[in-house]
Amino acid sequence: MAADILDLDATDQLLCLTAKEISALDLLKLSLGRHEKTHKRLNAIIAADLERALETAQVVDDRRARGELLGPLAGLPMTIKDGLDVEHMPASAGVEAWRHRWCEDADAVAHARRAGAVIWGKTNVPVMLSDWQSFNPIYGTTNNPWDPKRTSGGSSGGAAAALAARVTALEIGSDIGGSLRVPASFCGVFSHKPTYALVSQRGHAPPAPGAYAEPDLNVVGPMARSARDLRLLLSVIAGAGQAKAPPADLTRLKIGLWLDDPLLPVDAEARAVIEALAAEMNAAGARIEPIDSPVDLEELMDAYLVLLGGEIGAGLPKGQYRAMQRTRGLARLARAMGADPMSWAGLVLAYTPTHAEWLEANETRERMSAQLDKVFSQYDVIFAPATPRTAFPHNHRAFTRRRLKLEDGRELAYGMMLNWISLATACRLPSTTVPAGLSASGLPVGMQIIGAYGTDTRTLAVAQAIDEDFRGYVSPPGF
């Protein structure tokens, strides 16, 4: 059993621990061995606190031997995204100036620790968690286990790579622009973007360490290799909810399949995978039908870029921010002459919104949220791509010089990675990402299950039904 236990999801690893088929100390050592074996190829884990982790695992074993009551994660080795503070470990968010500060556990991390998790490592991220690729000057680049020449995604890219390679069974990540959903899709694992404010963000950076206000749009959520593990970890870090529940009966649900919108391109390979999954589910009795965009996407994206840009801009160095403010007039002129929202002009205006502009974007968000209430009265959940394409090759050029190439030869602005992400984020909805299958080129394709505000239990139940009856985690070749 011990040799194969890392192949199991967290729920089954915990069952082995409870049955004393393996000790917490031995399970931790197996995880550390797996990390050593894969680190050169992946560079997913960028910091560790082995001494305390070994001590913690031994304490769990001693308490279990005495028959004491233990938490739901007792003895399970875990890693944490480097955007969340973990006591006695660096918490850099890819920023050198933050790396050596003292910190205490973020709220979500503290919940996991109190539940008995053995937290031993931190996973890699981009600078300020602001990219769909995980690389930074401190720790370098994280590679995708399916193809090391490709990105694992971002900003929870180290987390997704470690999960896919079975270095860890659970991870805590975060998402403001797809940072849970994109890496899960690129690496073939599961993630859950909770309803906004369901999980505390205290101890998440950015914003700058010590901030009291929780950022708009951003959420902290679980990542795993199974849908039931998402439910388990969410119940721990949210401080409420069901750790276990049956999967959804898909024959009793009405599901909208959202694949078509001029502003939301999706690669033919990725589309084919999602369509194949939907067809298979329909054949098994699910009720899935194509739908148009639930809201006006152009209006949504305009609002989302202001809401998101306002958060990002507030964290920029003051000199850089003021320089951008001075170019607003020129940027408005460029946009009026047809410059793309993702151009330099669009980003300047998004990063430096006036209060009136933010209020207008917020009003648009609230109006669209009301429209979505009507959509979700007709459909229980919406299926949609998580990304325009599968994992792409590493590309560390300046943002404005990066392009997304699709299978049919189309090239998209790099910022269009936001487009499929925008609905759930801007309107603060839950979105569970599941592996939908492998593309013709052999890379994972993820699918979002988007639900109405507060229906996290439903999207997770649908994900669990897909996981158990249709698609689930597949081990990357060579790992």
Side-chain angles (χ1 to χ4, degrees), residues 263-463:
L263 291 179
L264 300 177
V266 60
D267 190 89
E269 280 197 2
R271 182 190 180 103
V273 170
I274 295 174
E275 287 178 328
L277 173 58
E280 188 176 330
M281 293 174 66
N282 264 331
R287 293 186 297 160
I288 305 174
E289 62 182 44
I291 63 169
D292 294 327
S293 299
V295 297
D296 183 317
L297 258 296
E298 185 171 2
E299 196 174 9
L300 174 69
M301 285 304 301
D302 285 344
Y304 177 39
L305 288 176
V306 170
L307 296 170
L308 177 63
E311 288 293 338
I312 296 173
L316 293 174
K318 290 183 179 180
Q320 182 181 355
Y321 185 77
R322 288 168 182 160
M324 294 180 78
Q325 284 183 311
R326 289 193 292 270
T327 63
R328 278 179 60 85
L330 186 60
R332 278 196 295 268
L333 178 61
R335 285 285 283 126
M337 296 176 64
D340 190 271
M342 295 297 177
S343 67
W344 71 269
L347 293 178
V348 162
L349 295 175
Y351 284 13
T352 60
T354 64
H355 186 52
E357 289 168 346
W358 188 93
L359 288 173
E360 183 180 357
N362 187 50
E363 177 64 24
T364 299
R365 183 231 313 259
E366 296 299 334
R367 174 167 46 83
M368 291 190 167
S369 295
Q371 294 173 8
L372 286 167
D373 289 341
K374 297 178 182 178
V375 174
F376 285 114
S377 70
Q378 302 174 53
Y379 297 96
D380 294 284
V381 295
I382 293 172
F383 288 175
T387 65
R389 54 157 297 163
T390 55
F392 48 83
H394 297 295
N395 182 350
H396 298 172
R397 296 178 178 179
F399 261 57
T400 54
R401 295 181 58 202
R402 301 181 197 174
R403 305 289 291 176
L404 291 173
K405 294 183 179 180
L406 302 188
E407 184 72 16
D408 61 10
R410 284 180 294 171
E411 288 195 359
L412 311 177
Y414 188 65
M416 290 190 77
M417 287 289 294
L418 280 174
N419 289 27
W420 282 110
I421 296 304
S422 61
L423 181 72
T425 301
C427 297
R428 300 168 169 170
L429 308 179
S431 175
T432 307
T433 298
V434 300
L438 300 180
S439 70
S441 55
L443 294 171
V445 175
M447 182 179 76
Q448 294 186 84
I449 304 167
I450 304 171
Y453 185 91
T455 60
D456 298 72
T457 299
R458 177 178 296 167
T459 64
L460 287 163
V462 173

